[in-house]
Amino acid sequence: MATVSIPENTTALLLDIEGTTTPITFVKDILFPYIKDNLEEYLSAHWEEDECKQDVHLLKKQVEEDLRLHRACAQHSLDQSGHTDEEKAIREVVDNVLWQMASDRKTTALKQLQGHMWRVAYAAGRIKGEVYQDVVPSIRRWRRQGLKVYIYSSGSVEAQKLLFGYSVEGDVLDLFNGHFDTNIGTKVESKSYERIAERMGCPPEEIMFLTDVTREAKAAEDAGVNVAVVVRPGNMELTEEERSHYNLITTFSQLEVTGSA
């Protein structure tokens, strides 16, 4: 198996989650169905709590923006007036969330509510975060070699911390120096990677980003970040052009710090 060198000037690795540290099937077959199956019950149980009210408020703000930009039909909107009929109000939130999920949207409002629901599930032991077997040993090795390791995912920072805090490998949160989500910008915008470099306090050239999505890889490259594309079972097929352009790895154990093989 060919090794891929981490450039010598690298000080930090930035990792995607879905398809990179964690099987896509975990998100698609476990996390998302949990939301769909338990959404109405969760909202009914927590409707009067401040956190839930804040989640619903954020969803309403998102709807306002969608309607303004003609991204949503009226049936996916939330009534802005205070409902006396709690059941109807909850039903509207459910319909909106399911519509967003069916459209594969990555809005902060959606991700925040999902994160809060998953917290309940992880804490109750109903879900354990899946990570590929090569991930934890490799990150431990990189940390020993003096590299910092960060996560950047469309899922909220809270959802990221739940996945790694309640993982099949136990609580491995101490492996990471920090977490980024869509609050810093979307993963297909090069500006997001510039902002991340700024937050890390290092130039983009000192960061290596691992992702399975070439649109994200391109955005990172455009910002001056080094990239390796992760090829795992179930990930999107790459074109010949993409295969020849990017460094490809099928496991984290292929990545070696230059001069430390």
Side-chain angles (χ1 to χ4, degrees), residues 12-14 148 150 180 195-202 207:
L13 286 160
L14 183 63
K148 291 181 174 177
Y150 295 83
F180 301 98
R195 288 187 204 109
I196 285 172
E198 229 171 272
R199 285 275 186 93
M200 288 183 183
C202 67
I207 302 168

Side-chain angles (χ1 to χ4, degrees), residues 35-36 38-41 43-44 47 59 78 87-101 113:
I35 299 292
K36 290 171 187 169
N38 295 278
L39 182 56
E40 196 159 348
E41 184 190 329
L43 290 169
S44 299
W47 191 250
L59 286 165
L78 303 178
E87 211 173 294
K88 183 169 182 273
I90 288 171
R91 190 67 245 166
E92 285 184 355
V93 174
V94 169
D95 288 346
N96 178 268
V97 168
L98 295 182
W99 167 70
Q100 288 204 55
M101 289 178 70
L113 173 63

Side-chain angles (χ1 to χ4, degrees), residues 116-128:
H116 292 155
M117 285 187 63
W118 288 325
R119 181 180 61 205
V120 172
Y122 280 112
R126 293 174 72 178
I127 295 176
K128 276 196 187 302

Side-chain angles (χ1 to χ4, degrees), residues 45-227:
H46 300 275
W47 191 250
E48 291 302 326
E49 294 168 20
D50 287 346
E51 185 178 78
C52 189
K53 284 179 178 174
Q54 175 61 22
D55 290 343
V56 172
H57 175 71
L58 259 190
L59 286 165
K60 285 183 176 181
K61 298 295 271 183
Q62 181 63 52
V63 164
E64 285 170 18
E65 190 188 334
D66 287 342
L67 290 171
R68 192 168 50 80
L69 299 171
H70 307 296
R71 282 196 300 231
C73 311
Q75 72 256 37
H76 302 124
S77 68
L78 303 178
D79 190 341
Q80 301 305 300
S81 62
H83 268 295
T84 48
D85 185 346
E86 185 181 295
E87 211 173 294
K88 183 169 182 273
I90 288 171
R91 190 67 245 166
E92 285 184 355
V93 174
V94 169
D95 288 346
N96 178 268
V97 168
L98 295 182
W99 167 70
Q100 288 204 55
M101 289 178 70
S103 308
D104 195 27
R105 303 191 75 198
K106 314 279 187 193
T107 63
T108 300
L110 174 66
K111 296 297 173 185
Q112 181 173 298
L113 173 63
Q114 288 174 332
H116 292 155
M117 285 187 63
W118 288 325
R119 181 180 61 205
V120 172
Y122 280 112
R126 293 174 72 178
I127 295 176
K128 276 196 187 302
E130 286 182 30
V131 288
Y132 286 110
Q133 284 185 333
D134 54 278
V135 169
V136 171
S138 297
I139 296 176
R140 289 200 198 285
R141 175 166 54 87
W142 300 331
R143 291 296 304 268
R144 282 197 304 271
Q145 291 166 329
L147 291 170
K148 291 181 174 177
V149 181
Y150 295 83
I151 293 287
Y152 180 29
S153 171
S154 301
S156 66
V157 166
E158 179 167 22
Q160 298 170 28
K161 288 182 174 179
L162 289 168
L163 193 156
F164 293 109
Y166 293 92
S167 86
V168 289
E169 304 273 353
D171 182 351
V172 293
L173 279 173
D174 63 323
L175 296 179
F176 304 107
N177 297 87
H179 298 257
F180 301 98
D181 60 18
T182 52
N183 279 309
I184 203 133
T186 71
K187 293 169 77 184
V188 293
E189 290 177 279
S190 59
K191 272 267 175 253
S192 305
Y193 299 89
E194 291 168 21
R195 288 187 204 109
I196 285 172
E198 229 171 272
R199 285 275 186 93
M200 288 183 183
C202 67
E205 297 74 28
E206 290 184 13
I207 302 168
M208 188 170 200
F209 178 47
L210 309 186
T211 180
D212 61 311
V213 179
T214 52
R215 280 180 70 211
E216 297 172 2
K218 183 183 185 315
E221 263 188 343
D222 289 347
V225 170
N226 294 297
V227 170

